Amino acid sequence: MKHLTILVPDVQTANSTVACIVGAYQLFTGANDYWQKQGKEALFRIETAGVADEAAFINGLLTIKPQVNIASLRRTDLILIPSLSPGFTQAKQGNTVLTDWIREQYKNGAEVASMCTGAFMLASSGLLEKRSCSIHWNSADHFRTLFPNVQLKTEQVITDEHGIYTNGGGYSFLNLLLYLVEKYYDRETAIYCTKIFQVEIDRQTQSVFAIFTGQKTHDDEMVRKAQQYMETHFRTKISMGDLSQRFAVGRRNFDRRFVKATGNTPAEYLQRVKVESAKKAFETTRKTINEVMYEAGYADEKAFREVFRKLTGMSPLEYRNRYNREASTGKLTAGK
């Protein structure tokens, strides 16, 4: 029988930490139960583990007592790391014993999965260096600052690389759990869990949930001014060559500094600003797709649709119908 360890951090936990711990315990217990009903032996022995006798969550409202201390666990097969507070500095210092244990267990053959901002703990172990990682879009800028060598994939719900799994934010950790159930048990068991826990299976992207606020947690004043200019003038045609000249910086150096500060090229950043404006218009107005397109600074309908789908995972019409009940019930066509 394999061993599944659900970690219980005791420093800088988030309100969602409890949901991750309890959700993981329930879902894998449900998978085990279904597995046994098929006449098979339970696949996992499931235990919560920590370094303290108990951990308090949600301002002391809830307390979890880990079933075992990690010091007594010499070997495990799968480690689940719940979400943490995005203000990770104290959490990193307070959970050093856990991160050291994670790294050692991975070296001994265990697989490791982080849920949402649990990626901060996983990254602090060093196991994500130059590897892919998904995380909640709202924590991405801070994560990049702390772990610049990790390849963030904020558009993905799940990453899977060399026995290390991560997932996006909020309750999408349930999608990661289903993914692991299918991988360790089988597709049939995963489908059973989707029906029992009523979680959508095979969700690939979290882009539709992201709110682009601009990556401003950097110290490059020139780039910050360029960002502000784009956000103010995105409805007009902006030449990146002209923009670099405006700030008296060579084009190549301008691009290099922009990517270093924001993680996007200037052109990508401008696209994100335009699409975020279009998203808000679709959510709050009854404007047609063409009207929104022009107001976002696009003249080419095909280009607008392609960029919009690339950044949100949905077509403009699909997005509007999902988030604007009044517009969708009005049954407006794209050009009307």
Side-chain angles (χ1 to χ4, degrees):
M1 183 184 295
K2 295 181 181 295
H3 187 270
L4 168 60
T5 304
I6 305 171
L7 294 186
V8 181
D10 60 349
V11 178
Q12 281 293 94
T13 52
N15 288 345
S16 58
T17 308
V18 174
C20 290
I21 294 171
V22 175
Y25 194 92
Q26 289 183 321
L27 199 143
F28 270 92
T29 298
N32 259 354
D33 290 344
Y34 180 77
W35 197 248
Q36 289 176 292
K37 289 177 181 177
Q38 310 309 307
K40 304 172 185 176
E41 183 182 345
L43 189 62
F44 277 109
R45 179 162 61 92
I46 306 164
E47 288 184 319
T48 57
V51 294
D53 291 336
E54 62 180 39
F57 302 92
I58 315 178
N59 299 321
L61 181 63
L62 295 173
T63 300
I64 291 182
K65 295 182 178 181
Q67 293 167 298
V68 295
N69 190 295
I70 62 165
S72 67
L73 286 176
R74 295 185 175 229
R75 189 181 182 283
T76 190
D77 297 288
L78 176 61
I79 301 168
L80 300 182
I81 307 171
S83 61
L84 297 171
S85 169
F88 184 65
T89 304
Q90 292 180 11
K92 181 178 181 181
Q93 296 169 350
N95 289 300
T96 303
V97 174
L98 285 178
T99 54
D100 290 346
W101 183 82
I102 291 167
R103 184 169 54 250
E104 189 63 26
Q105 289 296 320
Y106 180 74
K107 288 180 181 178
N108 291 334
E111 295 196 326
V112 187
S114 68
M115 296 177 265
C116 191
T117 47
F120 282 96
M121 180 183 288
L122 180 55
S124 71
S125 73
L127 296 179
L128 284 177
E129 286 291 297
K130 296 183 180 179
R131 288 177 174 165
S132 300
C133 172
S134 181
I135 199 170
H136 195 290
W137 58 265
N138 202 31
S139 301
D141 288 352
H142 184 45
F143 188 93
R144 284 191 186 94
T145 301
L146 293 177
F147 307 107
N149 294 326
V150 177
Q151 301 171 6
L152 269 189
K153 306 287 185 181
T154 54
E155 74 284 357
Q156 294 180 205
V157 172
I158 297 166
T159 64
D160 174 348
E161 193 171 344
H162 302 294
I164 295 177
Y165 312 89
T166 67
N167 90 287
Y171 285 87
S172 69
F173 75 86
L174 293 168
N175 298 104
L176 172 63
L177 298 179
L178 287 174
Y179 181 85
L180 292 172
V181 165
E182 180 172 355
K183 188 156 191 172
Y184 276 91
Y185 295 82
D186 56 19
R187 179 72 174 182
E188 181 181 337
T189 306
I191 291 174
Y192 170 80
C193 289
T194 70
K195 294 178 178 179
I196 289 296
F197 296 99
Q198 299 191 14
V199 182
E200 219 177 294
I201 198 169
D202 294 334
R203 220 163 51 96
Q204 302 295 321
T205 178
Q206 61 173 341
S207 300
V208 68
F209 301 112
I211 301 174
F212 183 70
T213 56
Q215 302 97 321
K216 304 287 177 52
T217 57
H218 58 80
D219 300 321
D220 195 320
E221 187 60 25
M222 182 278 294
V223 172
R224 188 174 287 111
K225 288 180 179 178
Q227 290 174 274
Q228 291 171 346
Y229 184 89
M230 290 186 200
E231 291 164 10
T232 303
H233 299 87
F234 68 88
R235 291 182 175 86
T236 62
K237 186 174 181 180
I238 297 177
S239 163
M240 296 306 161
D242 293 343
L243 192 58
S244 64
Q245 290 180 11
R246 172 180 287 273
F247 298 105
V249 179
R251 175 62 192 277
R252 183 174 297 178
N253 190 33
F254 177 75
D255 288 354
R256 180 186 61 78
R257 286 173 61 178
F258 203 99
V259 171
K260 182 179 179 181
T262 70
N264 293 129
T265 67
E268 289 170 343
Y269 191 90
L270 182 59
Q271 286 180 342
R272 290 182 177 275
V273 171
K274 290 174 178 285
V275 168
E276 193 61 35
S277 171
K279 285 164 58 181
K280 290 178 181 177
F282 286 137
E283 292 164 5
T284 59
T285 74
R286 287 177 59 87
K287 292 177 181 177
T288 67
I289 291 173
N290 284 341
E291 288 172 331
V292 170
M293 176 186 73
Y294 291 130
E295 289 185 3
Y298 282 94
D300 186 323
E301 184 176 340
K302 182 181 178 182
F304 173 66
R305 292 177 185 276
E306 288 178 351
V307 171
F308 194 94
R309 182 178 286 279
K310 175 185 174 183
L311 295 180
T312 68
M314 304 177 73
S315 72
L317 183 60
E318 289 170 334
Y319 188 92
R320 186 186 63 184
N321 287 345
R322 174 177 290 192
Y323 290 109
N324 191 324
R325 181 178 299 174
E326 182 181 351
S328 63
T329 54
K331 296 182 180 179
L332 296 173
T333 59
K336 295 183 180 179

